[in-house]
Amino acid sequence: GAVVSQHPSWVICKSGTSVKIECRSLDFQATTMFWYRQFPKQSLMLMATSNEGSKATYEQGVEKDKFLINHASLTLSTLTVTSAHPEDSSFYICSARDLELYTDEQYFGPGTRLTVT
Amino acid sequence: QKEVEQDPGPLSVPEGAIVSLNCTYSNSAFQYFMWYRQYSRKGPELLMYTYSSGNKEDGRFTAQVDKSSKYISLFIRDSQPSDSATYLCAMSNYGNNRLAFGKGNQVVVIP
């Protein structure tokens, strides 16, 4: 149980284009999903917290107009990187909390590697 | 002072040895403690979850929490090459939706 998937697993795009990354909880419902980015050999950096049916809460320094988050259902959240630039190249990972569990455990997806050329 | 301190290592051990990892934290409000394992270019995988002081065992893994010292540990017995990964500690104050992560500790188990 507690499986989170991400699609795509890797993507290459040209500078100036937009990229959408999907995060799905496959066997549980998640009211809250989280988006992280991770640079090589560094820990996870929380970008935003996404609650189903409401606007995402962004961490300080994260541009909400650049990183659009939509959490339209209890099993799907999307992150769109708009007008991507090479400095946006990173490993993006989502996680989700199980609605049924009254705990803070987060289950992570496999990550999406974004390369902007 | 960072909320969570974790020595990034790396740590190399021979196969079969005990791996000992630890994190310290400064926020006494943290109640939930987790250890994640992350293989290269993969998402973190939850290994252990605990919310009380003491030990919790799961197979070859033991998680230890000492709230009075604000110190948590993860022990891996009979380490295997497949245990080679980065191990991240994480903790939270229930209800605030955020995990505070350590930097991660890279472990290499040498056959």
Side-chain angles (χ1 to χ4, degrees):
Chain A
V3 179
V4 176
S5 71
Q6 274 183 250
H7 179 80
S9 55
W10 60 271
V11 57
I12 302 173
C13 71
K14 290 188 176 181
S15 187
T17 61
S18 296
V19 173
K20 180 186 282 189
I21 302 170
E22 290 187 350
C23 176
R24 293 181 185 272
S25 55
L26 298 185
D27 52 0
F28 66 99
Q29 293 184 320
T31 50
T32 307
M33 289 185 170
F34 306 84
W35 287 96
Y36 296 84
R37 66 189 296 184
Q38 186 178 35
F39 292 105
K41 297 190 183 296
Q42 294 194 22
S43 192
L44 301 161
M45 185 190 82
L46 179 65
M47 298 175 65
T49 301
S50 163
N51 290 296
E52 184 264 339
S54 63
K55 289 184 178 181
T57 301
Y58 290 82
E59 295 298 301
Q60 192 172 10
V62 178
E63 298 176 58
K64 62 180 181 181
D65 294 329
K66 181 170 185 60
F67 298 99
L68 301 178
I69 292 172
N70 183 275
H71 192 161
S73 77
L74 287 174
T75 59
L76 173 64
S77 176
T78 60
L79 167 68
T80 301
V81 183
T82 62
S83 187
H85 290 286
E87 57 265 30
D88 298 324
S89 299
S90 188
F91 193 49
Y92 292 87
I93 311 174
C94 71
S95 70
R97 285 178 61 188
D98 189 331
L99 176 65
E100 298 292 324
L101 299 178
Y102 294 98
T103 68
D104 278 358
E105 293 164 84
Q106 291 183 23
Y107 298 94
F108 285 84
T112 296
R113 185 158 303 279
L114 170 63
T115 301
V116 184
T117 61
Chain B
Q1 182 185 12
K2 288 190 176 181
E3 275 192 311
V4 181
E5 298 277 1
Q6 182 179 11
D7 184 350
L11 178 65
S12 293
V13 299
E15 183 176 354
I18 295 176
V19 175
S20 173
L21 307 169
N22 56 74
C23 290
T24 58
Y25 61 96
S26 58
N27 187 346
S28 58
F30 285 145
Q31 300 175 46
Y32 298 92
F33 306 91
M34 288 142 271
W35 285 95
Y36 287 88
R37 176 176 63 195
Q38 186 176 23
Y39 291 111
S40 181
R41 298 174 180 259
K42 300 290 184 184
E45 171 195 7
L46 181 64
L47 276 181
M48 300 288 282
Y49 174 88
T50 185
Y51 55 86
S52 59
S53 283
N55 293 352
K56 180 178 180 180
E57 275 192 34
D58 185 359
R60 297 184 295 110
F61 299 92
T62 299
Q64 193 173 76
V65 175
D66 182 346
K67 287 187 177 180
S68 61
S69 300
K70 299 190 184 69
Y71 187 93
I72 68 171
S73 300
L74 177 71
F75 300 97
I76 308 173
R77 291 185 298 280
D78 187 25
S79 57
Q80 304 294 311
S82 58
D83 295 326
S84 298
T86 295
Y87 292 81
L88 297 141
C89 64
M91 46 199 78
S92 70
N93 178 11
Y94 176 68
N96 73 0
N97 269 337
R98 302 173 84 252
L99 292 183
F101 282 92
K103 281 189 174 182
N105 209 167
Q106 185 181 1
V107 172
V108 177
V109 180
I110 303 166

